[in-house]
Amino acid sequence: MDGEVLRDDQWEKVKSFVPGGRKGKRGPRSDGRRFFDALLWMARSGARWRDLPE
């Protein structure tokens, strides 16, 4: 996925809008940056949730 993720300066601008990083009722939430990168990948590729790489 090189070239398809946010640069550090871009991530700093949006990270306050992305949930995650806190402990939820069922345990720790996933990494917000990784989740946001997955959303961007889906928007570019038109993939379905089940097609996401693990």
Side-chain angles (χ1 to χ4, degrees):
M1 268 177 42
D2 283 345
E4 294 184 354
V5 295
L6 294 176
R7 296 185 318 259
D8 290 338
D9 63 317
Q10 293 171 320
W11 171 245
E12 288 300 319
K13 292 179 182 178
V14 298
K15 76 177 182 178
S16 62
F17 301 103
V18 180
R22 297 182 308 257
K23 186 169 180 157
K25 292 181 181 178
R26 298 181 186 148
R29 294 184 181 169
S30 63
D31 178 28
R33 186 171 187 169
R34 188 171 180 189
F35 175 75
F36 195 73
D37 286 338
L39 289 177
L40 293 176
W41 178 82
M42 289 182 60
R44 280 191 297 272
S45 68
R48 298 168 296 191
W49 278 110
R50 65 178 170 220
D51 294 336
L52 284 173
E54 292 191 26

